[in-house]
């Protein structure tokens, strides 16, 4: 007889891991115990050596659905002669280090119970078990026990308590467990928030939806606004009330068969839709699908998701084959509503009815959005179902480090050792409500993870709300300011577990440069400690500042004038007085900062081609340019120039602009111009990377920044560079846009700590001391 002491680290607490170990040990007739200690699980188990080997093998090979094992270590001990196996209580205070599971979709076992008339939870909209249900959104504090969740007010009935206390039951220590006798209940309110009495709440909500009304439905992480996806008048009304003119809505469908009826799903997209995280997946829509055009105007893609709560399943079952628009419960650009009183105040006038319940949501959490490019996932927004699952850092943080992200698509991350705990998506910090949610979320994560930062990392931009937060509320802590595009590249590196210098291509809309100008078309030689700006787009004026982002014709004018051309291609759609004013402010540099933004170059081409002169949401012009380009075969690239200067290579697209104007004069279609421009960008990126490889001997390319959410561009760049012999890496776990920025900031801080041996690494805002110009 032997005895082994086994330590299991990872997401192994609060996910049914101890009862799983208990069941495995009992089945193999082993003695000992299992308990939670210091954020891991400790197992002491004894029996015959061959049986212990089998135990370890099965432990690694088969774990509960929500668990994620990072490491299993063990050592021998003398046997004690224990005849049975038991679960011991957690050691006091140890669960402060617990890895919290994300909220997870209803499991198959619970769905069987939901629709089984013989089951005591038949049609109960809040059933769950250890393998599914709410986690992050209901936890109020650590350690993770029922009294520190929003289920604390619901005392378990004897039947639920018996399941909760039984190690052999799949509801053993399932903190949100409940049933109709003791758990939360639905209620239906009218558009003013007053109760609707009489009909059962679910039936009343279904009647309202089928009658063409808009419902606010309380979910896991907040309220959704819902209506029938094929009801054009209601969808249009929802857009008007929500002040969301054209940005696409998501659609919830009953099952994968229905998803396949609406979209041409790949195997990877179908697997993602049905995964426990249940993200919104962007899939190519079929022609003639019974979805109102206003759901996703002019869009060849639909954002699909499957039901992920029992309530969703009951709603879709009761809608008799109809699909639901499910969009965040807010007015445009606000954070999602999650508090009941706030939801009624903010959604009054949008929703005709409220289907709500009395289980509080402690932390708002919007839906995750993802897409697939060449069969590999490319996250768009990482939130419900993913947060706060950690991403492994290639370089460990020697001190607890808080990385604050940027201004748009704000997220933050807590760094401890090799783990980066990324927050859920919060939104754009331009809005005070989002900034308040950001501050509250940071405070909650710090409390939940028992985390006190020793170092703070922020963006280099002096006017970001996250920068002001660092200065005003965390000013006593050492603070490291990181250049925006260096953080993007480091994010891609960390996402792919890289720890060596790379050629980093960082293309996005805006980011504050070390020279005080607006960068956005950058190619860097970078590692975690430092970077060298090796190449960038030719600088031009951003006429009107942020107004040029909302009115892409301004960037078209800027590039035309820079190329020495007239503004005649814009004359048909822009008043002559406006064109004259633009010429003057560009010539005089009035409210026209210098930019090298690749995102704004895409906007300029979209405006020139007549795709979009103004936009109603961020990136709309470039997105629609991609849609057009994806529909035809490439007709070859436009010309461009690579200029060598002592500081960097300059990618000069003036010949591209001139060629686009020539195509317009020859009557070429917007789609042809869009496709040729995409091919041009592919060739330009490849040319720069090849040139830099010649001088640096680097063969690894990391692609990051919001421009690389463009599926056509990303796939083509990856294919071209791979053909040219490069190892190409792009994002897989976090978005390439600013939603992944905090991971890069954290990785850079860890790299600086490694060099300094854990000393204070703050105060360095440039490219660092290491010279990577000849890496």
């Amino acid at each position: 007889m032997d005895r082994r002491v086994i330590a299991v680290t990872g997401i192994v607490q609060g996910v049914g891991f101890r009862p799983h170990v208990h069941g495995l040990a009992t089945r193999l007739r082993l003695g000992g115990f299992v308990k939670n200690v210091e954020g891991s699980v400790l197992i002491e188990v004894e029996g015959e050596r061959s049986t212990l080997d089998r135990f370890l093998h099965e432990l690694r090979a088969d774990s509960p659905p929500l668990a994620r094992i990072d490491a299993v270590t063990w050592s021998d001990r003398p046997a004690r002669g224990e005849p049975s196996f038991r679960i011991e209580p957690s050691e006091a205070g140890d669960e402060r280090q617990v890895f919290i599971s994300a909220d997870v979709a209803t499991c198959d076992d619970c769905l069987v119970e939901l629709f089984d008339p013989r089951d005591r939870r038949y049609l109960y909209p809040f059933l769950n078990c250890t393998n599914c249900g709410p986690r992050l959104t209901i936890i109020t504090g650590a350690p993770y026990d029922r009294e520190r969740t929003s289920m604390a007010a619901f005392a378990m009935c004897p039947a639920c308590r018996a399941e909760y206390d039984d190690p052999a039951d799949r509801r053993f220590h399932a903190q949100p467990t409940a049933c109709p006798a003791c758990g939360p209940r639905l209620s239906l309110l009218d558009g003013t928030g007053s109760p609707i009495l009489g009909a059962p709440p679910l039936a009343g909500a279904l009647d309202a939806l089928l009658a063409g009304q808009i419902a606010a439905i309380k979910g896991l992480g907040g309220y959704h606004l819902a209506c029938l996806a094929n009801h054009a008048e209601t969808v249009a009304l929802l857009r008007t009330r929500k002040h969301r003119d054209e940005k696409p809505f998501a659609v919830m469908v009953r099952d994968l068969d229905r998803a396949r009826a609406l979209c041409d799903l790949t195997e990877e997209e179908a697997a993602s839709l049905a995964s426990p995280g249940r993200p919104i997946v962007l899939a190519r829509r079929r022609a003639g699908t019974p979805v109102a055009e206003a759901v996703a105007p002019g869009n060849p893609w639909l954002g699909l998701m499957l039901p992920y709560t029992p309530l969703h399943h009951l709603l879709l079952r009761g809608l008799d084959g109809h699909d639901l628009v499910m969009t965040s419960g807010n007015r445009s650009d606000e954070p999602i509503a999650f508090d009941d009183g706030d939801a009624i105040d903010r959604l009054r006038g949008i929703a005709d009815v409220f289907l709500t319940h009395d289980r509080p949501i402690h932390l708002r959490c919007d839906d995750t959005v993802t897409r697939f490019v060449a069969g590999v996932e490319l996250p768009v927004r990482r939130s419900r179902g993913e947060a706060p699952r950690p991403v492994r850092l290639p370089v460990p943080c020697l001190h607890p480090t808080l990385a604050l992200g940027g201004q748009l698509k704000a997220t933050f991350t807590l760094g401890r050792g090799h783990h980066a705990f990324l927050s859920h998506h919060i939104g754009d910090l331009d809005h005070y409500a989002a900034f308040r949610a950001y501050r509250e979320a940071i405070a909650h994560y710090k409390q939940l993870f028992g985390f006190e930062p020793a170092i703070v990392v922020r963006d280099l931009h002096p006017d970001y709300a996250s920068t002001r937060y660092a200065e005003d509320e965390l000013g006593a802590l050492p603070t490291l300011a990181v250049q925006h595009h260096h953080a993007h590249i480091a994010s891609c590196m960390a996402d792919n577990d890289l720890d060596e210098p790379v050629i980093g291509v960082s293309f996005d809309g805006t980011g504050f440069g070390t020279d005080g100008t607006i960068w956005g078309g950058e190619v860097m030689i970078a590692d975690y400690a430092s970077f060298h700006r090796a190449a960038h787009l030719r600088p031009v004026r951003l006429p009107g500042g942020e107004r040029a982002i909302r009115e892409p014709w301004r960037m078209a004018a800027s590039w035309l004038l820079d190329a020495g051309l007239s503004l005649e291609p814009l004359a048909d759609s822009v008043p002559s007085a406006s064109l004259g004013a633009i010429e003057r402010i560009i010539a005089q540099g009035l409210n026209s900062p210098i930019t090298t933004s690749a995102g704004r170059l895409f906007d300029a081409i979209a405006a020139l081609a007549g795709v979009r002169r103004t936009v109603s949401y961020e990136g709309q012009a470039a997105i629609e340019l991609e849609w057009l380009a994806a529909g035809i075969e490439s007709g070859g690239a436009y010309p461009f120039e690579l200029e060598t200067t002592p500081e960097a290579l300059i990618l000069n697209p003036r010949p591209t602009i001139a060629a686009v104007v020539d195509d317009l004069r020859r009557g070429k279609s917007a789609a042809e111009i869009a496709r040729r421009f995409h091919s041009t960008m592919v060739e330009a990126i490849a040319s720069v990377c090849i040139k830099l490889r010649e001088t640096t001997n680097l063969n690894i390319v990391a692609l990051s920044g919001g421009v690389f959410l463009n599926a056509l561009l990303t796939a083509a760049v990856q294919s071209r560079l791979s053909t040219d012999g490069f190892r190409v890496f792009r994002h897989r776990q976090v978005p390439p846009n600013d939603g992944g920025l905090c991971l890069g900031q954290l990785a850079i801080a860890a790299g600086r700590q490694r060099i300094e041996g854990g000393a204070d690494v703050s105060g360095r805002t440039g490219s660092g001391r290491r010279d990577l110009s000849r890496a």
Side-chain angles (χ1 to χ4, degrees), residues 93 124 195 211 224 288 343 391 439 633-634 711 755:
Y124 182 56
H224 283 107
V391 173
R439 294 172 64 236
E633 294 297 321
S634 176
I755 289 176

Side-chain angles (χ1 to χ4, degrees), residues 495-566:
D495 196 336
N496 289 279
D497 202 31
L498 294 174
D499 184 18
E500 56 188 304
V502 303
I503 300 172
V505 183
S506 183
F507 279 14
D508 66 358
T510 59
F512 194 76
T514 56
D515 59 1
T517 65
I518 299 172
W519 294 3
E522 313 306 311
V523 184
M524 297 174 171
I525 307 301
D527 61 11
Y528 294 124
S530 56
F531 73 89
H532 167 62
R533 191 187 190 197
H536 58 80
L537 271 174
R538 175 180 170 80
V540 294
R541 293 286 179 179
L542 184 70
E546 289 191 5
R547 192 170 177 183
I549 300 173
R550 300 187 297 272
E551 300 175 5
W553 69 266
R554 291 170 172 263
M555 285 309 302
S558 184
W559 276 107
L560 285 169
L561 293 173
D562 182 72
L565 303 172
S566 76

Side-chain angles (χ1 to χ4, degrees), residues 71-155:
V72 178
T73 59
W74 61 274
S75 60
D76 289 318
R77 293 286 190 276
R80 298 179 184 174
E82 292 188 79
S84 61
F85 197 87
R86 65 192 183 278
I87 297 176
E88 288 195 349
S90 302
E91 294 181 7
D94 283 343
E95 287 184 324
R96 293 286 291 178
Q97 306 291 328
V98 68
F99 288 22
I100 302 298
S101 168
D103 299 292
V104 177
T106 308
C107 69
D108 290 342
D109 289 333
C110 283
L111 284 179
V112 169
E113 295 173 343
L114 181 66
F115 294 111
D116 182 357
R118 299 163 299 177
D119 194 276
R120 69 187 186 92
R121 293 185 175 87
Y122 176 57
L123 302 184
Y124 182 56
F126 304 99
L127 87 167
N128 61 81
C129 69
T130 307
N131 299 325
C132 68
R135 292 294 189 276
L136 175 67
T137 53
I138 64 168
I139 297 172
T140 60
Y144 175 49
D145 291 313
R146 191 179 180 97
E147 61 265 27
R148 282 175 289 276
T149 73
S150 59
M151 286 295 295
F154 299 93

